[in-house]
């Protein structure tokens, strides 16, 4: 997949959280902060951090494009490996062994699926301090078709012990996750979308790692349904659903590996017993399944994509809706969850 191929695709659709604006400057009264898409926030933050840490190296699989900020600022530490994702991860393992902090980036389907064996050995078996940043997760590459969709990556990466998995929502969360990856030196897989821009939920401390559970809104009633949002589109839909159902709660998860989810489940169970998990991923191997196992006394309902394959083109939201992931589906799940009592391990 080349940059030229990407440019033939129509621009990303308008989103509820951050609508696309015209080229004209915003009026002086518009005080909204300027945000970047997840993948652009990653590039910008890594470039900034590399200015004071010469062990940071950036590797791309023919996706850097013209004007990549890291390449412009640190050309000697930027490597474009071409369409050779497995080899790129293997090289990153060697760089990590030599004392570097390699960050590699390619589309999610090529990282999690095409380079799966290299990820297993590098991030898992060797526990190398390599961070994989995977844009185009879910069906954010909608117009490209099924070859460029990735609805299985969380299931694959969560099965590899020792990997920290994150799906930030918005500019601030992405930057915080990248900073933590640099600081910790642990293997990371960071999932993000294509070009959509979102304003992150408030972080308790803007300079710290995101919390295990970020409570965007906690309902006072313990029997209220709690939305659990995962990733960019899951969070966008959960925010819209909570506005439509003001009595519900909303807990946002950034980190999705087993260790973090175990901590998150304990905190969630202290406040609620009915959960609706919204994620742009297949239900099989997704976060709802994981939470259901960790919350056996609670009711966990999954709102995710179905088991079909998209057969027609469309923008991001259209492809999600065709797969059963849209606001009506979330609202229906909330209604059903609110009408029933918890009865042991349960997923829908």
């Amino acid at each position: 997949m080349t940059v030229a191929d990407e440019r033939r695709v129509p621009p990303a659709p308008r989103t509820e959280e951050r609508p696309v604006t015209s080229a004209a400057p915003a009026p002086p009264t518009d005080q909204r902060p300027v945000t970047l898409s997840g993948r652009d926030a990653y590039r910008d933050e890594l470039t900034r951090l590399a200015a004071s840490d010469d062990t940071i190296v950036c590797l791309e699989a023919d996706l850097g494009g013209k004007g990549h900020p890291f390449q412009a600022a640190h050309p000697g530490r930027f490597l474009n490996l071409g369409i050779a994702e497995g080899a790129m991860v293997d090289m990153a393992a060697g760089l990590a062994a030599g004392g570097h902090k390699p960050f590699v980036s390619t589309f999610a389907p090529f990282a999690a699926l095409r380079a799966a064996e290299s990820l297993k050995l590098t991030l898992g078996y060797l526990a190398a301090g390599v961070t994989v940043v995977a844009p185009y997760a879910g069906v954010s590459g909608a117009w490209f078709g099924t070859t460029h969709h990735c609805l299985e990556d969380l299931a694959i990466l969560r099965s590899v012990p020792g990997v920290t998995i994150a799906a930030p929502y918005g500019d601030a969360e992405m930057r915080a996750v990248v900073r933590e990856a640099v600081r910790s030196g642990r293997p990371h897989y960071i999932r993000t979308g294509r070009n959509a821009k979102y304003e992150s939920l408030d972080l308790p401390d803007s300079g710290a790692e995101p919390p295990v559970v970020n409570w965007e809104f906690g309902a006072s009633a313990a029997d209220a349904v709690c939305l659990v949002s995962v990733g960019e589109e899951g969070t966008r839909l959960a925010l819209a659903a909570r506005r439509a159902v003001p009595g519900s709660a909303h807990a946002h998860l950034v980190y999705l590996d087993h260790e973090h989810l175990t901590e998150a489940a304990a905190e969630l169970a202290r406040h609620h017993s009915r959960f609706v998990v919204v994620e742009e991923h297949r239900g099989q191997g997704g976060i709802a399944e994981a939470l259901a196992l960790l919350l056996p006394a609670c009711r966990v309902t999954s709102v995710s994509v179905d088991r079909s394959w998209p057969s027609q083109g469309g923008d991001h939201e259209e492809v999600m809706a065709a797969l059963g992931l849209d606001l009506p589906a979330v609202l229906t799940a909330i209604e059903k969850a609110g009408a029933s009592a918890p009865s042991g391990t349960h997923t829908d």
Side-chain angles (χ1 to χ4, degrees):
M1 181 63 216
T2 65
V3 173
D5 293 329
E6 180 180 353
R7 291 172 180 165
R8 289 198 288 268
V9 181
R14 295 177 183 271
T15 65
E16 185 172 349
E17 296 301 313
R18 178 67 61 183
V20 176
T21 59
S22 65
T29 55
D30 187 352
Q31 299 299 316
R32 293 176 302 174
V34 176
T35 62
L36 298 175
S37 67
R39 62 174 178 166
D40 286 335
Y42 149 66
R43 291 171 175 175
D44 185 75
E45 187 67 14
L46 192 69
T47 302
R48 186 187 69 81
L49 294 171
S52 58
D53 187 342
D54 60 8
T55 65
I56 294 175
V57 182
C58 181
L59 294 79
E60 294 261 356
D62 202 28
L63 303 176
K66 294 181 179 179
H68 192 295
F70 196 102
Q71 182 179 22
H74 314 291
R77 288 183 277 153
F78 179 86
L79 300 171
N80 186 342
L81 279 302
I83 305 175
E85 293 82 0
M88 177 175 67
V89 175
D90 295 342
M91 287 180 63
L95 288 166
H100 296 283
K101 298 173 185 175
F103 281 69
V104 307
S105 183
T106 185
F107 290 178
F110 308 149
L113 297 169
R114 183 180 295 172
E117 182 184 19
S118 291
L119 288 188
K120 182 187 78 170
L121 297 177
T122 295
L123 303 185
Y125 178 63
L126 296 175
V130 173
T131 297
V132 176
V133 180
Y136 277 61
V139 292
S140 56
W143 293 100
F144 289 109
T146 302
T147 58
H148 284 55
H149 298 164
C150 191
L151 297 165
E152 307 82 16
D153 57 332
L154 296 180
I156 294 169
L157 270 298
R158 286 190 63 256
S159 67
V160 180
V163 182
T164 298
I165 301 170
Y169 175 77
D171 185 307
E173 281 190 3
M174 173 60 82
R175 292 178 186 274
V177 168
V178 171
R179 288 194 299 270
E180 177 58 21
V182 170
R183 186 201 66 79
S184 71
R186 287 172 49 85
H188 275 66
Y189 177 84
I190 304 175
R191 184 186 213 246
T192 189
R194 187 181 172 223
N195 293 329
K197 301 176 183 180
Y198 301 103
E199 182 181 343
S200 296
L201 304 180
D202 290 337
L203 296 174
D205 183 345
S206 60
E209 185 180 5
V212 173
V213 179
N214 193 350
W215 292 95
E216 187 264 339
F217 183 83
S220 57
D223 62 348
V225 174
C226 178
L227 287 154
V228 178
S229 64
V230 174
E232 292 182 351
E233 292 304 298
T235 306
R236 177 184 66 81
L237 289 171
L239 288 168
R242 194 193 64 75
R243 288 194 294 268
V245 186
S248 59
H250 175 209
H252 171 58
L253 304 183
V254 178
Y255 289 107
L256 309 173
D257 49 87
H258 179 73
E259 289 74 17
H260 281 96
L261 285 183
T262 300
E263 293 183 51
E267 182 172 342
L268 291 170
R270 285 195 292 268
H271 299 279
H272 297 282
S273 59
R274 308 180 194 190
F275 301 97
V276 172
V277 182
V278 189
E279 55 186 317
E280 189 183 4
H281 190 274
R282 297 203 185 279
Q284 297 72 33
I287 304 307
E289 276 195 349
L291 287 176
L293 291 173
L294 293 167
L295 296 166
C298 299
R299 180 181 181 89
V300 179
T301 300
S302 172
V303 183
S304 53
V305 304
D306 60 29
R307 292 176 60 82
S308 64
W309 300 97
S311 58
Q312 296 180 345
D315 65 28
H316 192 177
E317 292 184 28
E318 289 172 339
V319 175
M320 286 199 306
L323 292 168
L325 181 58
D326 55 14
L327 182 57
V330 179
L331 296 177
T332 298
I334 295 173
E335 182 179 3
K336 289 182 177 179
S340 58
S343 56
T345 303
H346 185 92
T347 60
D348 292 331

